[in-house]
Amino acid sequence: MDVTVQWIRTSWTKQSRGGEAAARRNAAPVGFALPHGTGPDAHTVRMHERDGFTPYDGRVEARHVDVQLRERDGRLRVLPRVEPLFGLPPRPRRPPAVRLVPGQWVRWQLNYRFSSMAGMQDWSYWLDTFNIGYGPVAADVFLGDPTFHVDEQGPLR
């Protein structure tokens, strides 16, 4: 299976919900150039408010990315996994999986809000962006417009 996975996680607290900090967060990229030799690993990028949303590159085995990837009949079925108790907003009805043919790619975005177990800390927030290409791709593929864009972001209050 010739699949390229890029997983971007942006995380913040209520301190970045408004004003200049929110403007910096909202200006964070949703796609990055792929590093040389990514191979079967997923390219990860992490950005956090404590670092001014500076991107940090990494790699992880693609099987550790919470996305279902199934190849069948010349198509790649893509569907990010969401645990039922894994933060808010609730997602009672999810969009259907995307089916890619070689040369296509999808950008799928999901957001979350978390509170501490005891409710002693402020809420924290995540935005996960999954850029997934099927077939050979150029290093700058995720800098352009996707074939499919699924925005599964809900209200976080």
Side-chain angles (χ1 to χ4, degrees):
M1 189 166 33
D2 192 3
V3 177
T4 303
V5 176
Q6 184 177 76
W7 175 23
I8 302 165
R9 174 166 289 164
T10 306
S11 55
W12 65 96
T13 66
K14 71 177 182 178
Q15 294 174 12
S16 294
R17 292 236 0 179
E20 289 180 28
R24 276 194 307 277
R25 174 177 50 85
N26 290 332
V30 293
F32 292 86
L34 296 166
H36 179 69
T38 303
D41 290 340
H43 175 223
T44 61
V45 179
R46 299 294 179 255
M47 296 179 282
H48 194 280
E49 76 178 1
R50 72 177 165 260
D51 301 320
F53 300 102
T54 301
Y56 293 96
D57 285 312
R59 292 182 186 188
V60 67
E61 290 182 44
R63 65 186 176 94
H64 293 300
V65 178
D66 280 337
V67 176
Q68 270 183 6
L69 301 172
R70 292 199 180 129
E71 191 176 35
R72 185 170 163 194
D73 299 328
R75 291 183 171 265
L76 178 70
R77 181 182 183 274
V78 178
L79 182 65
R81 290 187 279 268
V82 176
E83 299 297 326
L85 300 176
F86 198 56
L88 294 170
R91 301 178 204 282
R93 292 184 158 212
R94 297 205 51 219
V98 171
R99 287 175 172 72
L100 304 175
V101 298
Q104 294 182 330
W105 69 280
V106 61
R107 173 171 290 141
W108 199 305
Q109 296 182 287
L110 298 123
N111 61 348
Y112 302 93
R113 181 186 78 197
F114 302 94
S115 64
S116 66
M117 292 278 231
M120 302 297 286
Q121 295 181 358
D122 285 336
W123 289 344
S124 60
Y125 305 88
W126 287 355
L127 171 62
D128 278 340
T129 301
F130 300 101
N131 294 318
I132 300 173
Y134 186 39
V137 296
D140 64 350
V141 64
F142 298 138
L143 299 177
D145 294 325
T147 311
F148 298 96
H149 181 228
V150 181
D151 186 348
E152 200 175 348
Q153 297 178 72
L156 296 177
R157 287 187 273 146

